[in-house]
Structure formats: C-alpha cells, structure tokens
Amino acid sequence: DQQVKQNSPSLSVQEGRISILNCDYTNSMFDYFLWYKKYPAEGPTFLISISSIKDKNEDGRFTVFLNKSAKHLSLHIVPSQPGDSAVYFCAALFTGSARQLTFGSGTQLTVLP
Amino acid sequence: NAGVTQTPKFQVLKTGQSMTLQCAQDMNHEYMSWYRQDPGMGLRLIHYSVGAGITDQGEVPNGYNVSRSTTEDFPLRLLSAAPSQTSVYFCASTQSGGDTQYFGPGTRLTVL
C-alpha cells in the first residue's frame, strides 16, 4: 500500500508557464514533506520542504502548498524553464522516527521551449 | 566536501554472486540510508543507520546486509545476488536533527 502517491507519471508544460505537480499521502503521522528533483544518471537533489504546521513555503520560483485536511501537497514552479525538466519526487517523513523518508513514484516534468 | 560518494557506478553480476556497494560521506552526518529505485516505484528504503554501530531495516531489507563501523562509511552487501535485485541503488545521509537527505550519484546494478 503506497503511503505517498504521485498519480501523474508525466507532465508537459510550455516554457514560461506554471508547472503544478501533485502528491497525496495517506499516513496522518507524516509531519514533514519534501520535494526532490532528479536528473538522469544523478542522485536526487533536495528542492524544497514544508512542515505540517505551515500551509505554504516559497523559495524563488518554487512554492509548495500543503492541505492537511485533504492530505495533499503540490509543487508550483513559476515560470517554468527548460532546465526544470527532470523527475520530481514527493517524500514524507514522521519527524519522531529515524528520518525515514517515504517516496512517491515520481513525475517526469518536461518543459517545452 | 565531496558530499556522498558511491562506488562503483555500474556493476554486472551473475545470479548467486555477492558484492558490496560502497558509500561514504564527509559531512559528519549521523544518519545514513540505502534506497533502491525501480521503474514506477520511486525510491524504497532498504536499510538505515542512526549512527556508528546502529543499523535497522527499512521497507525492503531481504537479501541485503549492512554494517556501520564508522560515521563516514555505510556499505551495502548483497549476499547472493538475484535478478530481482537489478536496480539503481542510492545512498543518502542526513545530519543529526536534520530532515533533508543528501544523496549520492547512485550505483546501477544488473544481475543476470
């Protein structure tokens, strides 16, 4: 049973437009959420995170929104750039545990020039 | 700082062979983890360690062994390789009290 789900395997957007990547979770114990970006043949790199006590966190072009009641989070990238083309993984953890991340299956974002 | 390093980058094994995937970090992080990435399944936790001498199982530990004799190193051993262990393996580390995991570049393993 997947506790973190990314239901869209792929997403294509035009350069300059907004990219919205979605993630749902089922375990209400999760209290910290992260987004990782992964290029081919490289390890995932941390992008942005949000604690469950917040509903929004911004870092430049990247904003993560958290809706705890719906157990849903989303990553907004504005404006999208061709260099943003990568696989994006949503991950969640319970900070009372030994920092074990539970990952979603990833969304391949393609930004078209 | 080199960050998290993994060797080898690629490896081909025959069924039944054993090998060790190496992972090292130079950030003095206490937490280290091993994940495998399979198509359509994201990253799944194999084993993790909260400090030297302490290890525990993750979601998919069967067929793998770990030890943590130093803070820097966290090797992953495949005891008797099986085709189901064909995957990309990532090592990660986190500082004590931190929540962001830093990943190595990965090892692509093929078991024939």
Side-chain angles (χ1 to χ4, degrees):
Chain A
D1 178 36
Q2 273 194 301
Q3 298 185 65
V4 178
K5 297 178 185 179
Q6 293 177 256
N7 292 318
S8 298
S10 62
L11 174 69
S12 292
V13 299
Q14 212 63 39
E15 181 179 3
R17 299 287 189 106
I18 184 171
S19 296
I20 300 177
L21 293 90
N22 293 304
C23 177
D24 297 295
Y25 63 96
T26 58
N27 190 338
S28 56
M29 296 289 286
F30 291 142
D31 58 1
Y32 198 81
F33 304 90
L34 306 92
W35 284 93
Y36 281 83
K37 178 177 178 179
K38 186 183 178 307
Y39 292 116
E42 294 183 10
T45 55
F46 170 73
L47 190 57
I48 192 169
S49 62
I50 187 166
S51 165
S52 60
I53 62 173
K54 295 186 173 181
D55 55 17
K56 178 182 173 181
N57 188 28
E58 264 182 281
D59 184 2
R61 297 186 296 114
F62 303 92
T63 304
V64 57
F65 296 91
L66 175 62
N67 182 333
K68 274 179 32 181
S69 60
K71 294 192 176 69
H72 176 83
L73 62 154
S74 60
L75 173 69
H76 292 212
I77 306 173
V78 184
S80 300
Q81 299 172 355
D84 295 330
S85 296
V87 177
Y88 289 79
F89 289 100
C90 170
L93 66 85
F94 167 47
T95 53
S97 71
R99 303 301 191 268
Q100 299 171 53
L101 282 174
T102 301
F103 281 85
S105 54
T107 297
Q108 170 70 57
L109 173 66
T110 303
V111 180
L112 304 167
Chain B
N1 283 358
V4 180
T5 58
Q6 291 183 239
T7 56
K9 276 186 154 349
F10 302 95
Q11 183 70 50
V12 179
L13 292 177
K14 294 182 179 176
T15 297
Q17 287 184 314
S18 63
M19 80 158 293
T20 300
L21 279 64
Q22 302 292 344
C23 174
Q25 53 91 11
D26 60 359
M27 298 174 282
N28 202 33
H29 286 174
E30 287 197 7
Y31 298 99
M32 296 187 75
S33 310
W34 275 102
Y35 295 86
R36 59 178 287 173
Q37 184 194 5
D38 300 295
M41 300 196 72
L43 283 81
R44 292 181 292 167
L45 183 65
I46 304 171
H47 284 284
Y48 65 96
S49 169
V50 299
I54 307 169
T55 64
D56 207 344
Q57 297 181 351
E59 182 186 353
V60 288
N62 292 342
Y64 307 95
N65 207 354
V66 292
S67 60
R68 183 100 179 268
S69 56
T70 66
T71 300
E72 295 78 18
D73 300 297
F74 191 41
L76 178 73
R77 291 183 201 76
L78 278 70
L79 309 171
S80 176
S84 61
Q85 293 178 305
T86 294
S87 189
V88 182
Y89 292 84
F90 292 101
C91 178
S93 71
T94 311
Q95 66 185 47
S96 177
D99 297 305
T100 303
Q101 295 203 11
Y102 297 89
F103 284 82
T107 294
R108 183 173 292 274
L109 176 68
T110 301
V111 182
L112 304 174

